[in-house]
């Protein structure tokens, strides 16, 4: 009995430690995103919105939305033009699939690689996950959100929906943004990550 208790305490302690690491990463993500938005050099905000900017609005952190998904590589996929909010035609390829369970239901999301970006050294291992869910148009941006990923070394990939963010066109009409393919719609609410952006009243 004593041995079982020790194992249980160790198990719970390990979960708490993992949660702590995940939360630190999420807070770091939020901090870096706010820095980018506050900087005149990197912010997608209009000049008027930038003058008033203090912070983006985030859902409460929930580590149950930090998912360890089975990664299935899908080689030999045909490159395609991903639809955007403008006439821009970026070329992507389906790089793989993420298979996971969320709230007791199985889901599959397609993960993409930008064929233009992959030629740049800093993006050679970059993967792109656009998705929509049932919060869109209510508490999150109507056009869906994005998650940045890296090519995994093994058969699993971590998808932390707490790090999902809005496309730049949610803040400024001058940007052209990819539109998440219909196949990446989740029929569940993902109430984590960046919330919808509300312009200041005088800037509407």
């Amino acid at each position: 009995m004593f041995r079982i208790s020790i194992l249980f305490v160790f198990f719970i302690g390990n979960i708490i430690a993992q949660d702590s690491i995940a939360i630190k990463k999420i807070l770091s993500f939020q901090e870096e995103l706010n820095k980018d938005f506050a900087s005149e050099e990197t912010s997608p905000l209009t000049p008027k919105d930038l003058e008033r900017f203090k912070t983006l609005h985030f859902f409460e952190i929930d580590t149950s939305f930090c998912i360890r998904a089975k990664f299935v590589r899908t080689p030999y996929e045909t490159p395609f033009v991903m639809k955007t909010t403008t006439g821009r035609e970026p070329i992507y390829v389906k790089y793989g699939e993420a298979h996971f369970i969320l709230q007791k239901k199985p889901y599959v999301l397609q993960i993409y690689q930008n064929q233009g970006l992959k030629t740049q050294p800093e993006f050679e291992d970059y993967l792109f996950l656009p998705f929509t869910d049932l919060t869109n148009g209510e508490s999150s941006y109507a056009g869906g959100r994005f998650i940045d990923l890296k090519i995994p070394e093994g058969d699993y990939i971590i998808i932390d929906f707490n790090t999902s963010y809005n496309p730049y066109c949610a803040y400024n009409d001058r940007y052209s943004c990819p539109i998440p393919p219909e196949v990446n719609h989740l029929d569940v609410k993902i109430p984590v990550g960046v919330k919808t952006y509300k312009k200041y009243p005088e800037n509407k």
Side-chain angles (χ1 to χ4, degrees):
M1 185 67 180
F2 177 74
R3 184 177 180 182
I4 293 176
S5 298
I6 292 295
L7 290 174
F8 179 75
V9 170
F10 176 79
F11 177 72
I12 295 299
N14 190 42
I15 291 177
I16 293 173
Q18 290 178 352
D19 275 358
S20 178
I21 292 172
I23 290 172
K24 285 181 180 179
K25 289 182 178 180
I26 295 164
L27 290 174
S28 177
F29 160 80
Q30 294 180 354
E31 182 180 357
E32 289 301 314
L33 200 58
N34 273 329
K35 284 182 180 179
D36 286 343
F37 272 71
S39 170
E40 187 175 347
E41 296 180 353
T42 56
S43 180
L45 298 175
T46 63
K48 287 185 178 180
D49 281 348
L50 182 58
E51 289 177 5
R52 295 284 304 277
F53 178 77
K54 293 182 179 179
T55 181
L56 292 171
H57 298 291
F58 301 93
F59 289 97
E60 289 188 17
I61 293 174
D62 185 345
T63 56
S64 69
F65 286 91
C66 182
I67 307 297
R68 184 174 184 263
K70 175 71 174 178
F71 179 74
V72 179
R73 180 75 167 95
T74 56
Y76 314 116
E77 292 281 349
T78 302
F80 70 97
V81 174
M82 187 174 288
K83 293 181 180 179
T84 66
T85 53
T86 64
R88 190 171 64 90
E89 298 185 333
I91 304 298
Y92 283 83
V93 69
K94 177 186 172 186
Y95 191 86
E97 295 177 346
H99 296 246
F100 58 94
I101 302 293
L102 181 60
Q103 298 180 1
K104 299 182 180 180
K105 290 183 62 177
Y107 292 98
V108 179
L109 287 175
Q110 295 187 0
I111 299 174
Y112 306 100
Q113 184 180 56
N114 186 304
Q115 298 303 281
L117 283 181
K118 76 172 187 177
T119 61
Q120 303 177 29
E122 64 269 34
F123 290 104
E124 61 183 5
D125 63 347
Y126 172 76
L127 296 178
F128 178 59
L129 175 55
F131 72 96
T132 55
D133 69 272
L134 297 184
T135 67
N136 298 155
E138 297 180 356
S139 50
S140 70
Y141 178 58
R145 290 176 289 172
F146 304 158
I147 298 177
D148 295 333
L149 300 171
K150 290 186 177 181
I151 296 174
E153 295 181 356
D155 297 330
Y156 288 89
I157 189 168
I158 299 299
I159 298 176
D160 191 347
F161 288 101
N162 290 276
T163 62
S164 59
Y165 61 93
N166 296 328
Y168 276 5
C169 53
Y171 308 97
N172 194 326
D173 293 337
R174 72 185 181 90
Y175 287 95
S176 173
C177 302
I179 298 173
E182 292 183 12
V183 69
N184 270 11
H185 175 69
L186 298 172
D187 59 348
V188 64
K189 289 188 175 182
I190 307 293
V192 290
V194 180
K195 289 185 174 182
T196 188
Y197 178 66
K198 296 181 179 180
K199 287 180 174 288
Y200 296 106
E202 64 270 26
N203 293 338
K204 286 186 177 179

